[in-house]
Amino acid sequence: MTESGHDHGLFDHCPWLFGTQASPRQRAEQQQLQQRLLEAGEVEFGEDCFVADSAAVYPDRLRLGDRSYIAAHAYVTGEVRTGADCSVNPFAVVRGTVTLGSGVRIGAHSSLLGFNHGAEPDLPVHQQPVTSRGITVGDDVWIGSHVVVVDGVSIGDHCVIGAGAVVTKDLPAWTVAAGNPARRIRDRRDARGAAPRPGAPLAERLSEFAGTARAQAADLLDRCWLPEAGRYVDRPGAAPTVRAHCDAVEIADLLLGDVPPQLPAAEHVARLRALQDPATGLVPEYGEAPPVAGAAGLPDDGAAVYHVLCVGYALDLLGGSLAHPVHTVRSATADRLVRRLAALPWRDHAWSAGAWVDAWATAAHWNLRLGAEPAAPGAVEALFGWLHTHADPWTGMWGSPTADSGRLEMVNGYYRLTRGSFAQFALPVPYAERVIDTVLDHARDQRFFAPGRENACNVLDVAHPLWLCARQTGHRAEEARAWAAAQLTAALTRWQPGQGFGFGPAPDGTGPGRAPGLQGTEMWLAIIWLLADLLGLADLLGYRPRGIHRPEPAPTGHDGEPLRLGGSR
């Protein structure tokens, strides 16, 4: 290491390294920076403090306790006082009247706003008076990333605030809180990993589950990491797979609000991007040759078809993107696509047909995100035109029941198809009320939904259509909520300490089975959110799916708006 701007950037973003790694010259420069702040106002620094050169520090009064620091691009104004060993991490905002105890950690991108504007109707907003009741934070408090604490709130000693929470009310000492608005999940002194209590109300069990899962997330990721291979497995003893890496990224985002800790974010991105075949834009399984594209741009099935979804969304969660467009879909013409849609096995294997549509539409989505043509002119419009004209007005779905499995293939295929097409592109589904009728009828099939027979795929493929169609209609809403409550109650009992969820029984061999692993955990976490949201309880979880199972339409990544047909926004 040299005494260069790179070193200063390191200390700005990782200021805890300054005390052990800074050179005499860098220490002198830090003293000069602190001296300028001392001369600018009522400022006081304790021993061994650090303020990043890129931080915007313009206080009326500032008291920084011993061994405390303000990291890169933080914004600090007003009257701020901290005890010893406090940190204001990169991009955090601390404004107004804010008092921190000792040992307070404020995560990146969080905001403590110890002031407020009036909102009376007789004045424009910009002329409203500013008020300040102040924020008080006790000792030994961890405020996660992307948290907002509003004016007038007091946070007691030893609290932990989960990532993304919005704290609007006082929190007593030892509270673990999450959600928007933040709610108590548990007492920090409770035994780590305590299981939800069977006799407790559903909302309380949901909160307890969220705390348990978050506390054990690092352990379940670590058990599925092979350091010698540098890859993830779904569960110990299984072979490494691309999907396992992507599931690890999704779980870390849901429960930790961060990347899997086994690798830095940049390394996760580099490894996933390197898997894509530049000629086709598809991602083969480890050790396999690049897949041969089928009609209209995708193979008929196989891991590469699902990798369009999981690799693309894992990179999106990591702040990256696919390295190349999915060229095989980009070259698909409207007439070839229509012929392929008509030839899919809708009658006997509607799940496979729906999965193919999901992957094709998602590939077009990624192409749009990369600024490329999604497919040949008119192909995306042809997809939605074909789907609208071929949906069954009696079931709302594509395909037919079968003698062997009833509505299973049809319902499961509906989830996959609508996830990648209508939901991802922010379009209403046709015949929403008939869809609700169909999935609620299917959910009574004891072959798949008797106690102990449920698996993640089958429950998800009912939960998501109910959630999606509830955005358009209140048809049979009470029945949908009753089913959601029963499934949620059962799902919360399936968590296995330190290991996560098993996928569930899969008699036909599709899925990893009952053993806990990354696929089961990722899917059940999304299912639990969907079920909880149908009941109005999702905020208690403190997480919201942002990857494959995201509830909202996928944004462009530039202006935050959903993608529209023709590439318009």
Side-chain angles (χ1 to χ4, degrees):
M1 243 185 214
T2 62
E3 292 185 13
S4 65
H6 171 77
D7 291 330
H8 292 301
L10 170 67
F11 295 137
D12 275 9
H13 289 83
C14 306
W16 55 88
L17 300 177
F18 185 84
T20 58
Q21 297 186 17
S23 68
R25 175 181 172 182
Q26 290 162 340
R27 294 179 188 279
E29 291 173 346
Q30 176 62 202
Q31 287 300 315
Q32 291 173 6
L33 185 153
Q34 292 186 21
Q35 185 60 39
R36 292 196 299 272
L37 290 172
L38 290 168
E39 294 170 355
E42 296 185 36
V43 177
E44 182 180 352
F45 293 108
E47 297 294 325
D48 301 319
C49 290
F50 178 88
V51 179
D53 184 59
S54 59
V57 182
Y58 305 111
D60 298 321
R61 295 185 181 87
L62 173 64
R63 166 62 168 90
L64 208 59
D66 295 344
R67 299 173 302 281
S68 295
Y69 55 78
I70 299 173
H73 306 290
Y75 183 24
V76 179
T77 68
E79 299 189 10
V80 179
R81 177 182 295 271
T82 85
D85 301 300
C86 290
S87 62
V88 179
N89 278 302
F91 299 97
V93 174
V94 181
R95 302 189 63 201
T97 303
V98 179
T99 302
L100 309 180
S102 294
V104 176
R105 292 287 186 263
I106 301 173
H109 300 277
S110 288
S111 297
L112 278 66
L113 305 174
F115 69 99
N116 206 347
H117 287 276
E120 297 301 322
D122 57 339
L123 283 176
V125 170
H126 74 277
Q127 294 179 6
Q128 294 284 343
V130 174
T131 60
S132 178
R133 293 184 291 159
I135 293 171
T136 301
V137 179
D139 297 334
D140 182 36
V141 172
W142 177 17
I143 297 174
S145 298
H146 295 277
V147 170
V148 176
V149 183
V150 303
D151 188 37
V153 165
S154 292
I155 298 174
D157 296 342
H158 314 296
C159 286
V160 174
I161 315 299
V166 179
V167 185
T168 60
K169 296 181 180 179
D170 293 352
L171 297 175
W174 296 103
T175 295
V176 177
N180 179 8
R183 292 182 173 91
R184 177 188 180 277
I185 292 175
R186 62 183 174 90
D187 189 298
R188 187 177 160 195
R189 294 165 293 187
D190 290 348
R192 185 175 184 269
R197 293 165 290 148
L202 183 55
E204 191 169 341
R205 276 178 283 165
L206 198 65
S207 294
E208 291 172 348
F209 160 76
T212 296
R214 195 167 285 110
Q216 296 178 6
D219 291 341
L220 72 89
L221 291 171
D222 197 53
R223 75 187 282 270
C224 295
W225 170 250
L226 296 180
E228 65 278 6
R231 290 177 175 173
Y232 291 92
V233 296
D234 179 70
R235 57 204 180 280
T241 62
V242 174
R243 177 171 184 160
H245 192 160
C246 299
D247 286 337
V249 171
E250 295 253 9
I251 292 166
D253 185 77
L254 286 166
L255 297 181
L256 302 176
D258 206 343
V259 303
Q262 288 74 27
L263 296 170
E267 184 63 20
H268 282 291
V269 171
R271 293 190 184 195
L272 289 172
R273 282 169 61 92
L275 297 173
Q276 191 181 22
D277 172 41
T280 63
L282 299 172
V283 179
E285 187 55 88
Y286 293 135
E288 294 183 0
V292 177
L298 285 179
D300 291 343
D301 54 26
V305 176
Y306 191 75
H307 292 168
V308 172
L309 281 63
C310 68
V311 175
Y313 270 106
L315 284 166
D316 191 52
L317 291 173
L318 293 164
S321 64
L322 293 169
H324 313 281
V326 184
H327 296 297
T328 58
V329 166
R330 191 179 176 197
S331 62
T333 62
D335 60 335
R336 288 177 60 197
L337 175 61
V338 167
R339 288 198 297 271
R340 178 58 183 149
L341 290 169
L344 289 171
W346 297 106
R347 180 174 296 277
D348 299 321
H349 299 289
W351 182 89
S352 297
W356 191 92
V357 173
D358 185 4
W360 195 96
T362 302
H365 163 79
W366 296 131
N367 290 347
L368 280 169
R369 289 279 290 270
L370 289 170
E373 287 297 324
V380 176
E381 288 78 1
L383 170 70
F384 286 100
W386 192 94
L387 293 175
H388 270 287
T389 56
H390 286 77
D392 183 349
W394 295 101
T395 64
M397 299 195 171
W398 299 265
S400 306
T402 66
D404 292 339
S405 60
R407 297 175 178 84
L408 180 68
E409 287 263 352
M410 184 171 67
V411 170
N412 290 10
Y414 180 89
Y415 160 66
R416 286 295 305 272
L417 183 153
T418 55
R419 189 220 71 84
S421 56
F422 292 93
Q424 190 163 232
F425 282 81
L427 295 173
V429 297
Y431 311 119
E433 293 187 353
R434 301 292 76 77
V435 172
I436 292 172
D437 292 339
T438 302
V439 296
L440 286 176
D441 287 348
H442 169 61
R444 290 196 291 266
D445 192 327
Q446 294 299 292
R447 290 174 293 178
F448 312 111
F449 294 98
R453 293 187 180 180
E454 307 98 329
N455 66 40
C457 186
N458 294 344
V459 178
L460 173 64
D461 296 350
V462 171
H464 187 273
L466 288 178
W467 186 94
L468 184 64
C469 293
R471 316 271 72 74
Q472 296 176 218
T473 176
H475 181 61
R476 298 177 70 177
E478 287 303 318
E479 293 175 70
R481 283 194 286 268
W483 182 86
Q487 289 295 327
L488 183 57
T489 299
L492 294 177
T493 68
R494 298 188 181 113
W495 179 268
Q496 300 188 40
Q499 302 178 79
F501 287 108
F503 176 86
D508 58 358
T510 57
R514 297 179 185 273
L518 298 181
Q519 180 180 340
T521 300
E522 186 274 325
M523 291 184 72
W524 280 110
L525 288 172
I527 291 164
I528 286 169
W529 189 93
L530 288 166
L531 296 172
D533 201 57
L534 280 167
L535 297 168
L537 300 174
D539 284 349
L540 296 173
L541 290 167
Y543 68 78
R544 186 180 186 91
R546 300 193 306 128
I548 286 177
H549 299 115
R550 60 178 297 122
E552 297 88 4
T556 64
H558 302 293
D559 55 13
E561 291 297 317
L563 290 170
R564 305 291 182 181
L565 296 183
S568 62
R569 297 172 188 157

